Amino acid sequence: MKIIPKGLTKFNFSDNGSASVECALKMAFQYQYQCGHSRRTRFMCLSDGYHGETIGALSVGTLDLYAKIYKPMLMDTIQIEAPDCYRCKYGKCRDCCGCECFVRAEEAFAEHGDETCAIIVEPLLQGSAGMRIYPPLYLKKLRELCDRYGILLIADEIATGFGRTGKYFACDHAGITPDIMCVSKGLTGGYMPMAITITTDEIYDAFYADYSSGRAFMHSHTYSGNPLGCSAAIAVQGILQNTDVLEKAQERGVYLYARLMETFGDNPNVGEIRSIGLINAIELVEDRESKKGFDSSLRMGYRIYRNALTKGLLLRPLGNVLYFNPPLIINESEIDAAVERCAAAVREVL
Ligand SMILES: *Cc1c(COP(=O)(O)O)cnc(C)c1O
């Protein structure tokens, strides 16, 4: 069974997500250079994006929490204001908009299109930004815009890949093929360090030439394609393809969302409950009307996390956002237990 988006055919193995992003950035840069576009030296990215913690990955990430102190070391990238559907500036909603916010991308491409080699995005889900979810239409438009300007589209599917969003890859929701796709986390089910940077024949061919031409991609890590990582990945892919794990996970994602709506839907301090596949997030607010968040000094998410721990539930807050990204094999009674404990922790802390 062919699972990756159509047209992605070539694989560069590595051992962690950040490494696969570094590989993607260098590959995009060198591809453009070898195609005669040596002016295309810059990268675009979305605000509040996260792509890992090595220097290149930090440069295309925009969260100060991880990057601030290293700013002088980082590449000068072009940031596009990301969609923020919960607090949409155009007064639209996630499921009924025309991606009005895409105008920010159009402006950036118009201004910097000829100096840009690639744009990197987390497709549909900006995880570290607070599990922010944006519509597939945005990705479709981005694919078209990239084609128009000759800019490569890099999809960082490290968090979203392998069934997390209800489809194999987040890009599948939009029916698009990126030029380069990074995968890691779910590739081995989290059991062994392993990552792949996947690309097209077209990009591969720009590197394939006589040794003496110097066009090769000089990029390797000692543990690239580590055999134990590879065999864990093969085993996990076998399970995903030969069992109903993904189907079940999709159903459980719907169930989890329904349980959260039932439990928190009327809570005046719950601004939004958002869901894509198994990933479900609750954004806490001080005031529902104004969508004003709790002051970060209150550390509301962290306090709820601490309280939940005493109940045997391990949450991982992102500021005022509590999220669930459980194992694909979670069952309904486990979901019930998690939601109940979370509700008790929220009640006690608030
Ligand atoms: C986890 C993650 C990374 C970084 O992967 P590491 O293996 O931690 O280096 C990059 N991008 C996204 C979207 C991630 O979720």
Side-chain angles (χ1 to χ4, degrees), residues 18-66:
S18 302
S20 74
V21 169
E22 297 291 330
C23 173
L25 300 176
K26 285 175 66 181
M27 195 184 275
F29 180 93
Q30 188 173 342
Y31 167 79
Q32 295 284 13
Y33 181 86
Q34 289 178 179
C35 290
H37 305 300
S38 54
R39 277 200 61 208
R40 294 189 182 272
T41 57
R42 299 183 72 190
F43 291 92
M44 287 188 193
C45 53
L46 296 182
S47 60
D48 298 309
Y50 177 85
H51 299 288
E53 292 172 35
T54 47
I55 300 301
L58 273 184
S59 299
V60 289
T62 51
L63 292 167
D64 272 353
L65 175 64
Y66 306 102

mmCIF file of all heavy atoms in Angstrom, residues 18-66:
data_model
loop_
_atom_site.group_PDB
_atom_site.id
_atom_site.type_symbol
_atom_site.label_atom_id
_atom_site.label_comp_id
_atom_site.label_asym_id
_atom_site.label_seq_id
_atom_site.Cartn_x
_atom_site.Cartn_y
_atom_site.Cartn_z
ATOM 1 N N SER A 18 14.734 17.148 14.207
ATOM 2 C CA SER A 18 15.520 18.337 13.882
ATOM 3 C C SER A 18 16.495 18.043 12.743
ATOM 4 O O SER A 18 16.680 18.867 11.837
ATOM 5 C CB SER A 18 16.295 18.820 15.110
ATOM 6 O OG SER A 18 15.421 19.100 16.173
ATOM 7 N N ALA A 19 17.112 16.873 12.777
ATOM 8 C CA ALA A 19 18.060 16.499 11.719
ATOM 9 C C ALA A 19 17.345 16.412 10.366
ATOM 10 O O ALA A 19 17.902 16.805 9.335
ATOM 11 C CB ALA A 19 18.731 15.176 12.057
ATOM 12 N N SER A 20 16.110 15.930 10.367
ATOM 13 C CA SER A 20 15.394 15.822 9.092
ATOM 14 C C SER A 20 15.014 17.206 8.565
ATOM 15 O O SER A 20 14.936 17.420 7.357
ATOM 16 C CB SER A 20 14.149 14.931 9.224
ATOM 17 O OG SER A 20 13.116 15.592 9.908
ATOM 18 N N VAL A 21 14.811 18.157 9.468
ATOM 19 C CA VAL A 21 14.525 19.535 9.047
ATOM 20 C C VAL A 21 15.789 20.194 8.487
ATOM 21 O O VAL A 21 15.757 20.831 7.431
ATOM 22 C CB VAL A 21 13.944 20.367 10.224
ATOM 23 C CG1 VAL A 21 13.898 21.849 9.886
ATOM 24 C CG2 VAL A 21 12.546 19.867 10.584
ATOM 25 N N GLU A 22 16.915 20.008 9.171
ATOM 26 C CA GLU A 22 18.176 20.551 8.659
ATOM 27 C C GLU A 22 18.433 20.020 7.246
ATOM 28 O O GLU A 22 18.822 20.759 6.343
ATOM 29 C CB GLU A 22 19.365 20.129 9.546
ATOM 30 C CG GLU A 22 19.318 20.640 10.970
ATOM 31 C CD GLU A 22 19.510 22.145 11.099
ATOM 32 O OE1 GLU A 22 20.212 22.751 10.264
ATOM 33 O OE2 GLU A 22 18.928 22.723 12.035
ATOM 34 N N CYS A 23 18.204 18.745 7.072
ATOM 35 C CA CYS A 23 18.407 18.108 5.780
ATOM 36 C C CYS A 23 17.503 18.750 4.736
ATOM 37 O O CYS A 23 17.937 19.077 3.628
ATOM 38 C CB CYS A 23 18.127 16.619 5.917
ATOM 39 S SG CYS A 23 18.132 15.722 4.372
ATOM 40 N N ALA A 24 16.252 18.991 5.096
ATOM 41 C CA ALA A 24 15.295 19.595 4.159
ATOM 42 C C ALA A 24 15.743 21.006 3.760
ATOM 43 O O ALA A 24 15.674 21.380 2.578
ATOM 44 C CB ALA A 24 13.903 19.647 4.801
ATOM 45 N N LEU A 25 16.227 21.771 4.724
ATOM 46 C CA LEU A 25 16.632 23.148 4.431
ATOM 47 C C LEU A 25 17.839 23.174 3.502
ATOM 48 O O LEU A 25 17.866 23.907 2.507
ATOM 49 C CB LEU A 25 16.952 23.897 5.742
ATOM 50 C CG LEU A 25 15.816 24.033 6.767
ATOM 51 C CD1 LEU A 25 16.313 24.708 8.046
ATOM 52 C CD2 LEU A 25 14.630 24.815 6.191
ATOM 53 N N LYS A 26 18.824 22.347 3.806
ATOM 54 C CA LYS A 26 20.018 22.319 2.960
ATOM 55 C C LYS A 26 19.681 21.813 1.559
ATOM 56 O O LYS A 26 20.181 22.309 0.551
ATOM 57 C CB LYS A 26 21.091 21.416 3.602
ATOM 58 C CG LYS A 26 21.778 22.058 4.798
ATOM 59 C CD LYS A 26 22.752 21.090 5.481
ATOM 60 C CE LYS A 26 23.946 20.712 4.613
ATOM 61 N NZ LYS A 26 24.838 19.759 5.331
ATOM 62 N N MET A 27 18.830 20.815 1.505
ATOM 63 C CA MET A 27 18.429 20.238 0.220
ATOM 64 C C MET A 27 17.712 21.287 -0.638
ATOM 65 O O MET A 27 17.993 21.436 -1.835
ATOM 66 C CB MET A 27 17.487 19.070 0.511
ATOM 67 C CG MET A 27 17.246 18.124 -0.627
ATOM 68 S SD MET A 27 15.999 16.897 -0.101
ATOM 69 C CE MET A 27 17.005 15.684 0.715
ATOM 70 N N ALA A 28 16.822 22.048 -0.012
ATOM 71 C CA ALA A 28 16.068 23.080 -0.748
ATOM 72 C C ALA A 28 17.017 24.151 -1.266
ATOM 73 O O ALA A 28 16.950 24.570 -2.426
ATOM 74 C CB ALA A 28 15.016 23.711 0.172
ATOM 75 N N PHE A 29 17.935 24.568 -0.417
ATOM 76 C CA PHE A 29 18.889 25.614 -0.795
ATOM 77 C C PHE A 29 19.750 25.159 -1.964
ATOM 78 O O PHE A 29 19.895 25.843 -2.977
ATOM 79 C CB PHE A 29 19.761 25.943 0.431
ATOM 80 C CG PHE A 29 20.784 27.007 0.185
ATOM 81 C CD1 PHE A 29 20.504 28.334 0.464
ATOM 82 C CD2 PHE A 29 22.040 26.680 -0.326
ATOM 83 C CE1 PHE A 29 21.453 29.325 0.233
ATOM 84 C CE2 PHE A 29 22.987 27.660 -0.569
ATOM 85 C CZ PHE A 29 22.696 28.986 -0.281
ATOM 86 N N GLN A 30 20.303 23.958 -1.829
ATOM 87 C CA GLN A 30 21.217 23.454 -2.866
ATOM 88 C C GLN A 30 20.471 23.159 -4.168
ATOM 89 O O GLN A 30 20.995 23.376 -5.258
ATOM 90 C CB GLN A 30 21.948 22.205 -2.353
ATOM 91 C CG GLN A 30 23.065 21.738 -3.290
ATOM 92 C CD GLN A 30 23.882 20.608 -2.688
ATOM 93 O OE1 GLN A 30 23.866 20.368 -1.477
ATOM 94 N NE2 GLN A 30 24.611 19.900 -3.546
ATOM 95 N N TYR A 31 19.239 22.696 -4.045
ATOM 96 C CA TYR A 31 18.426 22.454 -5.240
ATOM 97 C C TYR A 31 18.268 23.744 -6.037
ATOM 98 O O TYR A 31 18.493 23.782 -7.247
ATOM 99 C CB TYR A 31 17.046 21.914 -4.844
ATOM 100 C CG TYR A 31 16.051 21.934 -5.977
ATOM 101 C CD1 TYR A 31 16.066 20.948 -6.954
ATOM 102 C CD2 TYR A 31 15.111 22.962 -6.091
ATOM 103 C CE1 TYR A 31 15.173 20.972 -8.015
ATOM 104 C CE2 TYR A 31 14.212 22.995 -7.137
ATOM 105 C CZ TYR A 31 14.246 22.002 -8.096
ATOM 106 O OH TYR A 31 13.358 22.041 -9.145
ATOM 107 N N GLN A 32 17.890 24.799 -5.345
ATOM 108 C CA GLN A 32 17.689 26.076 -6.028
ATOM 109 C C GLN A 32 19.005 26.542 -6.664
ATOM 110 O O GLN A 32 19.033 26.969 -7.816
ATOM 111 C CB GLN A 32 17.175 27.139 -5.048
ATOM 112 C CG GLN A 32 15.791 26.846 -4.476
ATOM 113 C CD GLN A 32 14.650 27.118 -5.456
ATOM 114 O OE1 GLN A 32 14.870 27.307 -6.651
ATOM 115 N NE2 GLN A 32 13.427 27.115 -4.946
ATOM 116 N N TYR A 33 20.074 26.408 -5.913
ATOM 117 C CA TYR A 33 21.384 26.848 -6.403
ATOM 118 C C TYR A 33 21.745 26.094 -7.677
ATOM 119 O O TYR A 33 22.159 26.676 -8.679
ATOM 120 C CB TYR A 33 22.430 26.608 -5.304
ATOM 121 C CG TYR A 33 23.811 27.052 -5.676
ATOM 122 C CD1 TYR A 33 24.210 28.377 -5.477
ATOM 123 C CD2 TYR A 33 24.719 26.150 -6.245
ATOM 124 C CE1 TYR A 33 25.487 28.797 -5.841
ATOM 125 C CE2 TYR A 33 25.997 26.567 -6.617
ATOM 126 C CZ TYR A 33 26.379 27.887 -6.411
ATOM 127 O OH TYR A 33 27.634 28.297 -6.775
ATOM 128 N N GLN A 34 21.552 24.773 -7.645
ATOM 129 C CA GLN A 34 21.948 23.945 -8.794
ATOM 130 C C GLN A 34 20.993 24.085 -9.972
ATOM 131 O O GLN A 34 21.298 23.661 -11.077
ATOM 132 C CB GLN A 34 22.120 22.483 -8.344
ATOM 133 C CG GLN A 34 23.361 22.375 -7.484
ATOM 134 C CD GLN A 34 23.704 21.023 -6.894
ATOM 135 O OE1 GLN A 34 24.706 20.919 -6.214
ATOM 136 N NE2 GLN A 34 22.898 20.013 -7.130
ATOM 137 N N CYS A 35 19.844 24.689 -9.724
ATOM 138 C CA CYS A 35 18.928 24.962 -10.832
ATOM 139 C C CYS A 35 19.148 26.377 -11.360
ATOM 140 O O CYS A 35 18.322 26.896 -12.122
ATOM 141 C CB CYS A 35 17.484 24.783 -10.380
ATOM 142 S SG CYS A 35 17.068 23.068 -10.061
ATOM 143 N N GLY A 36 20.196 27.015 -10.900
ATOM 144 C CA GLY A 36 20.531 28.338 -11.420
ATOM 145 C C GLY A 36 19.886 29.491 -10.666
ATOM 146 O O GLY A 36 19.928 30.635 -11.112
ATOM 147 N N HIS A 37 19.304 29.186 -9.509
ATOM 148 C CA HIS A 37 18.654 30.259 -8.738
ATOM 149 C C HIS A 37 19.484 30.603 -7.506
ATOM 150 O O HIS A 37 19.034 30.452 -6.377
ATOM 151 C CB HIS A 37 17.256 29.831 -8.311
ATOM 152 C CG HIS A 37 16.395 29.393 -9.448
ATOM 153 N ND1 HIS A 37 16.081 30.221 -10.494
ATOM 154 C CD2 HIS A 37 15.799 28.204 -9.719
ATOM 155 C CE1 HIS A 37 15.323 29.566 -11.359
ATOM 156 N NE2 HIS A 37 15.146 28.338 -10.920
ATOM 157 N N SER A 38 20.693 31.082 -7.739
ATOM 158 C CA SER A 38 21.577 31.321 -6.602
ATOM 159 C C SER A 38 21.137 32.531 -5.772
ATOM 160 O O SER A 38 21.634 32.739 -4.667
ATOM 161 C CB SER A 38 23.022 31.488 -7.076
ATOM 162 O OG SER A 38 23.073 32.493 -8.055
ATOM 163 N N ARG A 39 20.217 33.304 -6.281
ATOM 164 C CA ARG A 39 19.703 34.430 -5.477
ATOM 165 C C ARG A 39 18.697 33.964 -4.425
ATOM 166 O O ARG A 39 18.348 34.700 -3.512
ATOM 167 C CB ARG A 39 19.002 35.458 -6.387
ATOM 168 C CG ARG A 39 19.955 36.435 -7.047
ATOM 169 C CD ARG A 39 19.194 37.675 -7.501
ATOM 170 N NE ARG A 39 18.580 38.373 -6.386
ATOM 171 C CZ ARG A 39 17.476 39.118 -6.474
ATOM 172 N NH1 ARG A 39 16.854 39.242 -7.621
ATOM 173 N NH2 ARG A 39 16.994 39.731 -5.411
ATOM 174 N N ARG A 40 18.208 32.762 -4.620
ATOM 175 C CA ARG A 40 17.211 32.266 -3.653
ATOM 176 C C ARG A 40 17.927 31.684 -2.435
ATOM 177 O O ARG A 40 18.215 30.488 -2.387
ATOM 178 C CB ARG A 40 16.347 31.185 -4.310
ATOM 179 C CG ARG A 40 15.467 31.691 -5.449
ATOM 180 C CD ARG A 40 14.527 30.572 -5.855
ATOM 181 N NE ARG A 40 13.671 30.937 -6.970
ATOM 182 C CZ ARG A 40 12.494 31.548 -6.831
ATOM 183 N NH1 ARG A 40 12.066 31.883 -5.626
ATOM 184 N NH2 ARG A 40 11.760 31.819 -7.894
ATOM 185 N N THR A 41 18.185 32.532 -1.459
ATOM 186 C CA THR A 41 18.981 32.088 -0.310
ATOM 187 C C THR A 41 18.190 32.104 0.996
ATOM 188 O O THR A 41 18.693 31.686 2.029
ATOM 189 C CB THR A 41 20.198 33.009 -0.115
ATOM 190 O OG1 THR A 41 19.729 34.354 0.042
ATOM 191 C CG2 THR A 41 21.137 32.943 -1.293
ATOM 192 N N ARG A 42 16.967 32.613 0.968
ATOM 193 C CA ARG A 42 16.259 32.784 2.250
ATOM 194 C C ARG A 42 15.105 31.787 2.419
ATOM 195 O O ARG A 42 14.630 31.202 1.444
ATOM 196 C CB ARG A 42 15.728 34.216 2.352
ATOM 197 C CG ARG A 42 16.870 35.235 2.306
ATOM 198 C CD ARG A 42 16.366 36.635 2.468
ATOM 199 N NE ARG A 42 15.914 36.911 3.838
ATOM 200 C CZ ARG A 42 15.252 38.011 4.183
ATOM 201 N NH1 ARG A 42 14.929 38.914 3.267
ATOM 202 N NH2 ARG A 42 14.898 38.202 5.437
ATOM 203 N N PHE A 43 14.682 31.654 3.642
ATOM 204 C CA PHE A 43 13.566 30.767 3.957
ATOM 205 C C PHE A 43 12.401 31.560 4.530
ATOM 206 O O PHE A 43 12.597 32.553 5.217
ATOM 207 C CB PHE A 43 13.985 29.696 4.974
ATOM 208 C CG PHE A 43 14.944 28.700 4.409
ATOM 209 C CD1 PHE A 43 16.317 28.894 4.534
ATOM 210 C CD2 PHE A 43 14.487 27.589 3.725
ATOM 211 C CE1 PHE A 43 17.212 27.990 3.989
ATOM 212 C CE2 PHE A 43 15.372 26.679 3.180
ATOM 213 C CZ PHE A 43 16.740 26.879 3.310
ATOM 214 N N MET A 44 11.212 31.083 4.206
ATOM 215 C CA MET A 44 10.017 31.652 4.824
ATOM 216 C C MET A 44 9.451 30.632 5.809
ATOM 217 O O MET A 44 9.644 29.421 5.670
ATOM 218 C CB MET A 44 8.947 31.951 3.783
ATOM 219 C CG MET A 44 9.242 33.144 2.903
ATOM 220 S SD MET A 44 7.779 33.476 1.899
ATOM 221 C CE MET A 44 8.470 34.617 0.713
ATOM 222 N N CYS A 45 8.726 31.145 6.779
ATOM 223 C CA CYS A 45 8.083 30.269 7.761
ATOM 224 C C CYS A 45 6.884 31.002 8.360
ATOM 225 O O CYS A 45 6.706 32.191 8.116
ATOM 226 C CB CYS A 45 9.078 29.883 8.849
ATOM 227 S SG CYS A 45 9.888 31.286 9.634
ATOM 228 N N LEU A 46 6.094 30.281 9.106
ATOM 229 C CA LEU A 46 4.926 30.897 9.745
ATOM 230 C C LEU A 46 5.275 31.339 11.163
ATOM 231 O O LEU A 46 6.097 30.713 11.830
ATOM 232 C CB LEU A 46 3.751 29.914 9.809
ATOM 233 C CG LEU A 46 3.151 29.450 8.484
ATOM 234 C CD1 LEU A 46 1.965 28.514 8.742
ATOM 235 C CD2 LEU A 46 2.699 30.637 7.635
ATOM 236 N N SER A 47 4.625 32.397 11.616
ATOM 237 C CA SER A 47 4.841 32.821 12.991
ATOM 238 C C SER A 47 4.342 31.733 13.944
ATOM 239 O O SER A 47 3.439 30.955 13.603
ATOM 240 C CB SER A 47 4.126 34.145 13.265
ATOM 241 O OG SER A 47 2.742 34.001 13.062
ATOM 242 N N ASP A 48 4.945 31.671 15.094
ATOM 243 C CA ASP A 48 4.610 30.678 16.126
ATOM 244 C C ASP A 48 4.846 29.240 15.686
ATOM 245 O O ASP A 48 4.282 28.304 16.247
ATOM 246 C CB ASP A 48 3.156 30.850 16.610
ATOM 247 C CG ASP A 48 2.941 32.218 17.246
ATOM 248 O OD1 ASP A 48 3.740 32.572 18.118
ATOM 249 O OD2 ASP A 48 2.004 32.922 16.844
ATOM 250 N N GLY A 49 5.691 29.068 14.672
ATOM 251 C CA GLY A 49 6.003 27.720 14.206
ATOM 252 C C GLY A 49 7.104 27.087 15.040
ATOM 253 O O GLY A 49 7.864 27.764 15.722
ATOM 254 N N TYR A 50 7.157 25.770 14.977
ATOM 255 C CA TYR A 50 8.196 25.020 15.688
ATOM 256 C C TYR A 50 8.713 23.911 14.782
ATOM 257 O O TYR A 50 7.926 23.123 14.251
ATOM 258 C CB TYR A 50 7.640 24.394 16.979
ATOM 259 C CG TYR A 50 8.665 23.559 17.701
ATOM 260 C CD1 TYR A 50 9.560 24.154 18.577
ATOM 261 C CD2 TYR A 50 8.764 22.188 17.471
ATOM 262 C CE1 TYR A 50 10.532 23.396 19.218
ATOM 263 C CE2 TYR A 50 9.742 21.426 18.109
ATOM 264 C CZ TYR A 50 10.616 22.036 18.985
ATOM 265 O OH TYR A 50 11.577 21.291 19.614
ATOM 266 N N HIS A 51 10.035 23.860 14.598
ATOM 267 C CA HIS A 51 10.583 22.832 13.716
ATOM 268 C C HIS A 51 11.788 22.105 14.301
ATOM 269 O O HIS A 51 12.496 21.414 13.581
ATOM 270 C CB HIS A 51 10.948 23.461 12.367
ATOM 271 C CG HIS A 51 9.762 24.061 11.669
ATOM 272 N ND1 HIS A 51 8.779 23.298 11.089
ATOM 273 C CD2 HIS A 51 9.371 25.347 11.520
ATOM 274 C CE1 HIS A 51 7.845 24.084 10.582
ATOM 275 N NE2 HIS A 51 8.169 25.333 10.837
ATOM 276 N N GLY A 52 12.030 22.285 15.594
ATOM 277 C CA GLY A 52 13.156 21.599 16.214
ATOM 278 C C GLY A 52 14.124 22.601 16.813
ATOM 279 O O GLY A 52 13.887 23.811 16.774
ATOM 280 N N GLU A 53 15.226 22.091 17.343
ATOM 281 C CA GLU A 53 16.057 22.958 18.173
ATOM 282 C C GLU A 53 17.519 23.040 17.776
ATOM 283 O O GLU A 53 18.344 23.555 18.521
ATOM 284 C CB GLU A 53 15.867 22.554 19.637
ATOM 285 C CG GLU A 53 14.444 22.910 20.038
ATOM 286 C CD GLU A 53 14.006 22.424 21.407
ATOM 287 O OE1 GLU A 53 14.847 22.400 22.305
ATOM 288 O OE2 GLU A 53 12.810 22.076 21.537
ATOM 289 N N THR A 54 17.852 22.550 16.592
ATOM 290 C CA THR A 54 19.186 22.802 16.062
ATOM 291 C C THR A 54 19.160 24.171 15.390
ATOM 292 O O THR A 54 18.090 24.783 15.258
ATOM 293 C CB THR A 54 19.577 21.694 15.072
ATOM 294 O OG1 THR A 54 18.474 21.499 14.179
ATOM 295 C CG2 THR A 54 19.878 20.397 15.790
ATOM 296 N N ILE A 55 20.324 24.669 14.945
ATOM 297 C CA ILE A 55 20.398 26.070 14.539
ATOM 298 C C ILE A 55 19.510 26.404 13.336
ATOM 299 O O ILE A 55 18.787 27.398 13.353
ATOM 300 C CB ILE A 55 21.867 26.468 14.249
ATOM 301 C CG1 ILE A 55 22.713 26.257 15.508
ATOM 302 C CG2 ILE A 55 21.982 27.916 13.790
ATOM 303 C CD1 ILE A 55 22.256 27.044 16.717
ATOM 304 N N GLY A 56 19.535 25.556 12.312
ATOM 305 C CA GLY A 56 18.681 25.823 11.155
ATOM 306 C C GLY A 56 17.212 25.717 11.520
ATOM 307 O O GLY A 56 16.394 26.565 11.155
ATOM 308 N N ALA A 57 16.881 24.682 12.269
ATOM 309 C CA ALA A 57 15.485 24.462 12.663
ATOM 310 C C ALA A 57 14.986 25.602 13.557
ATOM 311 O O ALA A 57 13.848 26.054 13.426
ATOM 312 C CB ALA A 57 15.346 23.115 13.376
ATOM 313 N N LEU A 58 15.854 26.082 14.435
ATOM 314 C CA LEU A 58 15.466 27.220 15.287
ATOM 315 C C LEU A 58 15.256 28.480 14.457
ATOM 316 O O LEU A 58 14.406 29.300 14.774
ATOM 317 C CB LEU A 58 16.562 27.514 16.317
ATOM 318 C CG LEU A 58 16.552 26.758 17.634
ATOM 319 C CD1 LEU A 58 17.682 27.299 18.512
ATOM 320 C CD2 LEU A 58 15.221 26.900 18.369
ATOM 321 N N SER A 59 16.042 28.605 13.390
ATOM 322 C CA SER A 59 15.927 29.804 12.547
ATOM 323 C C SER A 59 14.567 29.887 11.868
ATOM 324 O O SER A 59 14.042 30.977 11.660
ATOM 325 C CB SER A 59 16.991 29.799 11.448
ATOM 326 O OG SER A 59 18.279 29.810 11.996
ATOM 327 N N VAL A 60 14.014 28.736 11.497
ATOM 328 C CA VAL A 60 12.699 28.756 10.849
ATOM 329 C C VAL A 60 11.578 28.577 11.872
ATOM 330 O O VAL A 60 10.401 28.603 11.534
ATOM 331 C CB VAL A 60 12.581 27.705 9.712
ATOM 332 C CG1 VAL A 60 13.422 28.124 8.524
ATOM 333 C CG2 VAL A 60 12.975 26.313 10.193
ATOM 334 N N GLY A 61 11.953 28.375 13.120
ATOM 335 C CA GLY A 61 10.963 28.384 14.200
ATOM 336 C C GLY A 61 10.884 29.816 14.700
ATOM 337 O O GLY A 61 11.825 30.585 14.529
ATOM 338 N N THR A 62 9.789 30.160 15.303
ATOM 339 C CA THR A 62 9.643 31.574 15.661
ATOM 340 C C THR A 62 9.173 31.744 17.093
ATOM 341 O O THR A 62 8.733 32.813 17.476
ATOM 342 C CB THR A 62 8.633 32.247 14.721
ATOM 343 O OG1 THR A 62 7.464 31.440 14.707
ATOM 344 C CG2 THR A 62 9.162 32.354 13.328
ATOM 345 N N LEU A 63 9.267 30.686 17.870
ATOM 346 C CA LEU A 63 8.835 30.806 19.259
ATOM 347 C C LEU A 63 10.008 31.277 20.113
ATOM 348 O O LEU A 63 11.020 30.595 20.221
ATOM 349 C CB LEU A 63 8.305 29.458 19.768
ATOM 350 C CG LEU A 63 7.004 29.004 19.104
ATOM 351 C CD1 LEU A 63 6.714 27.540 19.413
ATOM 352 C CD2 LEU A 63 5.836 29.872 19.566
ATOM 353 N N ASP A 64 9.851 32.446 20.720
ATOM 354 C CA ASP A 64 10.936 33.024 21.505
ATOM 355 C C ASP A 64 11.411 32.108 22.618
ATOM 356 O O ASP A 64 12.582 32.094 22.968
ATOM 357 C CB ASP A 64 10.485 34.369 22.102
ATOM 358 C CG ASP A 64 10.759 35.489 21.117
ATOM 359 O OD1 ASP A 64 11.396 35.222 20.078
ATOM 360 O OD2 ASP A 64 10.326 36.627 21.383
ATOM 361 N N LEU A 65 10.477 31.342 23.154
ATOM 362 C CA LEU A 65 10.810 30.433 24.249
ATOM 363 C C LEU A 65 12.048 29.599 23.932
ATOM 364 O O LEU A 65 12.906 29.365 24.777
ATOM 365 C CB LEU A 65 9.603 29.514 24.517
ATOM 366 C CG LEU A 65 9.764 28.407 25.549
ATOM 367 C CD1 LEU A 65 10.017 28.989 26.931
ATOM 368 C CD2 LEU A 65 8.516 27.527 25.575
ATOM 369 N N TYR A 66 12.143 29.137 22.690
ATOM 370 C CA TYR A 66 13.259 28.273 22.310
ATOM 371 C C TYR A 66 14.404 29.039 21.647
ATOM 372 O O TYR A 66 15.541 28.615 21.671
ATOM 373 C CB TYR A 66 12.782 27.184 21.334
ATOM 374 C CG TYR A 66 11.617 26.399 21.848
ATOM 375 C CD1 TYR A 66 10.323 26.646 21.394
ATOM 376 C CD2 TYR A 66 11.805 25.404 22.804
ATOM 377 C CE1 TYR A 66 9.246 25.933 21.880
ATOM 378 C CE2 TYR A 66 10.735 24.688 23.290
ATOM 379 C CZ TYR A 66 9.457 24.951 22.824
ATOM 380 O OH TYR A 66 8.400 24.242 23.308
#
